[in-house]
Amino acid sequence: MSAPKQMLLNLRVEWTPTLENYVAGGNRELISRLRGLADPRCFDAVYVWGSEGCGKSHLLNAVSVMGRPPRTILSFTGLTAPAEIPAKPGALLLIDDVQDLSAEAQIGLFRLFNSARILGLSFLLTGPCAPLQLTVREDLRTRIGQSMIYEVQNLTDDEKKSALQRHARLRGMRLDDNVVHYLLRHGRRNLPSLMAVLDTLDRLSLEQKRQATVPLLRELLQTSFELDPK
Amino acid sequence: MSDFWSACLLRLERELPAQQFNTWIKGLRVETAPDNAAQVTLIAPNRWVLNWVRERCLTEIESMGRDFTPKSVSVSLAVDDATEPLATSSILDSDAEPKTTPSDIGPTLRDPIAAATGHRPARSIRFSDPVFERTRLNPEFTFDTLVTGRANDLARAAAQQVSQNPGVSYNPLFIYGGVGLGKTHLIHAIGNAIYATDPSKEIRYVHAEDYFSDVVRAFQQKSFDTFKRYYRTLDLLLIDDIQFFNKKDRTQEEFFYAFNALVEAKKQIIITCDTYPKDINGLEERLISRFDWGLTVAIEPPELEMRVAILKKKAEVEHVDLSDDVAFLIAKNLRSNVRELEGALNRVMAFARFHGRPIGLDVAKEALRDILGATNRQITLELVQKTVSDYYRIKVSDMFSQKRTRAIARPRQVAMWLSRELTDRSLPEVGDAFGGRDHTTVLHACRTITSLRFKDTVLNNDLHVLMQTLKS
């Protein structure tokens, strides 16, 4: 007879994405540039791109909590941005997934780019590819293409390892090197996926009152993540 | 005079959309000259609010002053030094350049100014001549900063002629060309040249979408008279991207009348568009035919030499030494428009500054990777299998087959290794894609290749070539 499953309290580690808890890796120049956006005197347009799970949204969320008055920050996704964004003078406009902007919102953003000089606006936009490959209206695409363009660089295995270790520490979880090593070799290699496995491993370890070891991780990967990726 | 301002607030609140009122008007503070109650100064929290109020409301506020008191009220605008972060004495240099312009903001939204970030040090913003600001011209866009080549020499010649004889030479001057080729630069240059010759000229640059907004506002506020009066008293109207008038009938009608009035009065109109007049969608025939009254000139995409010259010119303005090979590298990779070309140079300069390296070919290549996106071409398992099969001249189907001969098994292992290196697929996913193999088979392949590549130089070279092929 197996041991009864331990019921867990629904306690979560409060975690806000910030530029400080972003593992910069090869993205130090980008991080530095994003820090500059907090300054209300900064006039900049930054476009950040990379594949899904590379950390674009983390960066955007980090910037959205970074600003202090008097810089006004307006934050949208491509799907939620209205046709007319009420940008106050000197505001910083954040749009995640710019490729999802509606036709009207694309014109709205185009107009904001045109009035940026007069209004002192700054932009931080993200997308899945370089502006040259973006499928938005051409007059907007070239304006985005004139921005400072950064591809989010993937982390190396060592950087992923330290990110996972840090994530585990935050959860109060003991994580052996060989578990990380196994996860990096067998799991999907983007950081959000790896973190999700780690979170589930922690929960499973508490529920089953077993150490977070390689056998438990193997079990987890076989039952939850590979057979049923959702 | 506080009663006067309260009355103004009430009326503006009624007339403007709430959002506009809250954004632009609510934060204004009123001050009256101690010795003259009819002299009112509105204090704006920053220069953008000041610009907006001057653009959109000042005339109306002044006219309200006339309604409020039989004496005329003189309304001026100023920025609150206490709240305006840019007007600090340390960065103001009014003695050196008494008539400065907002050029320091930069039209290309260049670098952030926080020196602490290691980027370009803070650029100050100085107050410009309010008369100039009303023109909405960008002072950085002049004939001096415009590079000429085969692509735009005719347009430039026509523009210069118009700037020397506005209203006489070609009216209207219609400039058309693709996106990002410098149409806006050219018409700003005309405006700047005319302003430099005679600052008393009433000049206005307006984007077609903003003209449309002005029409809508005039309609909502029933202030067409003011609208018409304003546009018909201009000496030079520069209207950008007229293709945005597409199917906006009332806007076209208003523009038609403004156009006629200005041309009759020998006032200059300059229009830009992304296409030849006859090809503009949704524009009334009577407008299109009027565009033919003057001169229509095209701007073509710049050829390689011109792109290099543009980069060199921009680098010179930025006091950056740009070698020919770097300029050619950028120019060869960004072919279609000037805007992205300049963006690429900005990126290269920022990269070099941040990393403290001189701008050489290697720096430029690294910086351009982000712009071109070559490294992040979506690498799929199928692409890996196809590339490896082509390289080793085996069939793609051999990747999924059960054959275990060395000639097939080794390339398959290479493909598995590349799949792990270049995609984020897990071992079981890779195994599945290779004919439903177990994840341990993939693991074994990866270990084999990792260990072999250090002993087998041919294999190592194969891997190098394949990685380059897949990434490029």
Side-chain angles (χ1 to χ4, degrees), chain A residues 134-193:
Chain A
L134 258 184
T135 48
V136 292
R137 49 182 300 141
E138 186 65 2
D139 46 18
L140 174 62
R141 193 195 66 70
T142 56
R143 278 163 177 80
I144 295 173
Q146 196 181 17
S147 312
M148 279 292 159
I149 300 164
Y150 290 88
E151 178 186 3
V152 181
Q153 303 296 327
N154 285 325
L155 299 182
T156 62
D157 276 3
D158 280 347
E159 287 158 354
K160 282 180 193 164
K161 190 173 158 187
S162 50
L164 290 170
Q165 300 274 24
R166 195 162 73 182
H167 188 67
R169 266 200 310 279
L170 270 174
R171 294 186 66 95
M173 177 184 180
R174 263 190 60 192
L175 193 61
D176 285 345
D177 274 358
N178 53 356
V179 174
V180 179
H181 192 60
Y182 187 91
L183 182 57
L184 284 174
R185 270 190 302 146
H186 291 78
R188 295 194 69 146
R189 294 166 72 85
N190 68 62
L191 206 53
S193 300

Side-chain angles (χ1 to χ4, degrees), chain B residues 240-301:
Chain B
D240 209 356
D241 283 336
I242 202 129
Q243 71 274 13
F244 278 88
F245 278 2
N246 182 7
K247 292 183 185 150
K248 289 168 179 155
D249 295 344
R250 183 64 200 258
T251 304
Q252 289 186 29
E253 191 182 332
E254 285 305 323
F255 183 68
F256 176 77
Y257 293 123
F259 183 99
N260 287 343
L262 288 174
V263 171
E264 266 172 37
K266 295 206 178 314
K267 304 297 173 68
Q268 182 71 46
I269 301 177
I270 301 169
I271 300 164
T272 76
C273 187
D274 66 352
T275 183
Y276 190 71
K278 295 227 171 351
D279 292 340
I280 309 173
N281 286 330
L283 215 62
E284 287 176 33
E285 195 51 46
R286 59 180 182 167
L287 263 181
I288 291 176
S289 67
R290 269 160 181 76
F291 295 161
D292 281 339
W293 285 0
L295 179 69
T296 299
V297 285
I299 298 186
E300 304 289 343

